[in-house]
Amino acid sequence: MKRFLTLVAVVLSFAATQTARAWNNIGHATIAVIAERHLTDEAKEKCRAYLKHNLPYYASWMDYWRNCPGFEETHYWHSVPVDEKNKQVKGETRNAAYQINRICKQMRKYHKLKDSIVADNLKYLIHMVGDMHCPVHTKYSVNEPDLKQ
């Protein structure tokens, strides 16, 4: 019995460490499931028509494509820089907040865009909104100490 309990404790300790891997597929999918539950039936239908899948299916899509040729710029779209007062650093375009706003403006006229652009924009939004719910996706500006003293 003692061996069995030891084995169970070891297995549980390894299982518990899996959740410490920051924002993984499960974290992204969870946010996407919650978001999908808040969509109207019409919005769900439109998303499915463009994506051919539900939202959680593409929740981690950006993590897999950001290092592929043609998608390198999206590597920077996973976080938001903030200053010492936790206010978003304005003027930067290589971050999730800027890109979410840009895509939302573009999607207001989604019916005039190519279907492939609409689908990619939805995939980006699904992922970046998930990233914005993870604290480690905030880039804090660090004031370097003055070493000239």
Side-chain angles (χ1 to χ4, degrees), residues 98-113:
Y98 178 86
Q99 295 302 326
I100 288 169
N101 286 324
R102 180 190 63 78
I103 290 169
C104 285
K105 285 178 187 172
Q106 187 181 43
M107 291 292 279
R108 288 183 187 136
K109 298 179 182 177
Y110 74 91
H111 53 281
K112 294 182 179 181
L113 299 172

Side-chain angles (χ1 to χ4, degrees), residues 110-130:
Y110 74 91
H111 53 281
K112 294 182 179 181
L113 299 172
K114 290 182 180 179
D115 288 355
S116 61
I117 300 293
V118 173
D120 283 351
N121 280 344
L122 288 170
K123 293 173 194 176
Y124 289 131
L125 289 173
I126 293 164
H127 184 86
M128 289 187 288
V129 169

Side-chain angles (χ1 to χ4, degrees), residues 83-84 140-146:
D83 62 19
E84 61 279 351
Y140 296 96
S141 52
V142 178
N143 293 330
E144 296 295 324
D146 187 4

Side-chain angles (χ1 to χ4, degrees), residues 29-40 44 55 129:
T30 300
I31 296 298
V33 166
I34 293 167
E36 194 170 59
R37 288 182 181 170
H38 285 85
L39 293 177
T40 64
K44 281 182 208 174
L55 270 57
V129 169

Side-chain angles (χ1 to χ4, degrees), residues 28-29 49 51 60 72 89 92 99-100 112 121 127 135-136 146:
H28 277 292
L51 297 173
S60 297
E72 297 91 351
V89 175
E92 290 201 29
Q99 295 302 326
I100 288 169
K112 294 182 179 181
N121 280 344
H127 184 86
V136 299
D146 187 4

Side-chain angles (χ1 to χ4, degrees), residues 37-93:
R37 288 182 181 170
H38 285 85
L39 293 177
T40 64
D41 290 339
E42 181 184 358
K44 281 182 208 174
E45 227 173 89
K46 285 182 181 178
C47 286
R48 192 169 294 251
Y50 284 105
L51 297 173
K52 312 296 185 228
H53 289 283
N54 60 11
L55 270 57
Y57 184 86
Y58 287 108
S60 297
W61 176 81
M62 233 174 112
D63 283 337
Y64 296 105
W65 283 92
R66 68 178 166 185
N67 296 317
C68 295
F71 291 89
E72 297 91 351
E73 180 63 23
T74 67
H75 174 78
Y76 302 98
W77 299 4
H78 295 262
S79 60
V80 175
V82 297
D83 62 19
E84 61 279 351
K85 295 179 182 171
N86 288 328
K87 301 289 182 194
Q88 179 186 341
V89 175
K90 300 291 183 184
E92 290 201 29
T93 61

